[in-house]
């Protein structure tokens, strides 16, 4: 399987076999991601890290991954400190990063920006989130977390909770889990339902997702609970946000009636949707999930650079 030079824009660009291969490569990266062993696979290579939107995990884990592979990182986390401020186009900024580096990772507020960037760069573009569009490396690390914690991905009851309208991670994950034959339940306020086109894509892959506003019943048989933040920054109307924020909170009380081996995931950042008391339970895997961004991104950076793992 050859990923040399491949742009990573959407999880839909990958077959299930390719995803399985990436997860296996990421598994091999764990001791190196933890710094227990060292690697020089990308010595001499440069990653451009272009973040036009705020990020903690995606940016730092990409940069950690590149450093763990002995590569170097250039870039910015504040676009107002770049020539975009003087009116430079995204296409020209990408042309520059392409000239100065070997791989480009980019987060941008506009849906479709990563696909556009790929048209202007010879180097592989790794989409670190494009507006309400795609966040494929997050989806891969989410799948990796389920694989790692549950020892397989497949016929499990997976509940996706929260902002299913604007949350890009849940769109990708719903699609990917449908490839694996998981049973999906979508729980959200009525105004933040999973978009019809995502539900249809899941159905086209043979899944039969159900939608509800009721968390208690959905949680009863859940193997995986994936919680999301209400994405305030994507609401055109702040009043609408104020109406739905705080609808759901995962509390110790709610967890009394769940399976013992339920895992709770969250792409983070969280605000109020998971009570911090839950962090101490065996259900909480969201911080391990955030760490998993490093081995997944190490695998992807290596694979697009032509390294055979
Ligand atoms: N999960 C995620 O994308 O987090 P950041 O926004 O902090 O990168």
């Amino acid at each position: 399987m050859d990923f040399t030079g491949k742009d990573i824009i959407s999880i839909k660009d990958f077959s299930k076999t390719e995803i399985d291969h990436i997860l296996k490569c990421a598994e091999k990266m764990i001791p190196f991601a933890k710094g227990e062993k060292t690697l020089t696979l990308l010595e001499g290579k440069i990653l451009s890290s272009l973040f036009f939107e705020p990020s903690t995990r995606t940016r730092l884990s990409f940069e950690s991954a590149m450093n763990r592979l002995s590569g170097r990182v250039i870039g910015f986390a504040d676009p107002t400190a770049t020539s975009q401020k003087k009116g430079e186009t995204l296409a020209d900024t990408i042309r520059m990063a392409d000239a100065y580096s070997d791989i480009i990772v980019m987060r941008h507020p506009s849906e479709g920006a990563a696909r556009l960037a790929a048209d202007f760069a010879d180097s592989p573009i790794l989409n670190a989130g494009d507006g309400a569009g795609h966040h494929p490396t997050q989806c891969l690390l989410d799948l990796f977390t389920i694989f790692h914690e549950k020892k397989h991905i497949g016929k499990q009851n997976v509940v996706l909770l929260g902002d299913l309208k604007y949350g890009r991670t849940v769109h990708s994950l719903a699609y990917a889990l449908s490839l694996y034959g998981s049973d999906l339940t979508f729980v959200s306020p009525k105004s933040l339902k999973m978009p019809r086109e995502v539900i249809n894509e899941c159905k086209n892959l043979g899944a039969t997702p159900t939608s509800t506003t009721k968390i208690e019943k959905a949680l009863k048989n859940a193997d995986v609970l994936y919680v999301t933040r209400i994405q305030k920054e994507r609401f055109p109307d702040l009043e609408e946000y104020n109406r739905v924020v705080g609808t759901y909170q995962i509390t110790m009380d709610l967890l009394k009636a769940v399976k013992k081996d339920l895992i709770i995931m969250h792409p983070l950042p969280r605000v109020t949707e998971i009570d911090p008391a839950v962090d101490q339970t065996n259900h909480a895997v969201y911080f391990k999930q955030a760490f998993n961004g490093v081995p997944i991104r190490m695998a992807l950076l290596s694979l697009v650079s032509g390294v055979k793992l």
Side-chain angles (χ1 to χ4, degrees), residues 95-110:
R95 285 183 173 107
M96 296 305 100
D98 195 31
Y100 302 147
S101 62
D102 307 290
I103 311 172
I104 300 169
V105 56
M106 184 180 84
R107 172 171 289 186
H108 198 280
S110 305

Side-chain angles (χ1 to χ4, degrees), residues 54-59 107 135 138 267-269:
S55 166
T56 300
R57 279 146 293 275
T58 311
R59 186 170 71 83
R107 172 171 289 186
H135 194 353
Q138 177 71 46
L268 304 178

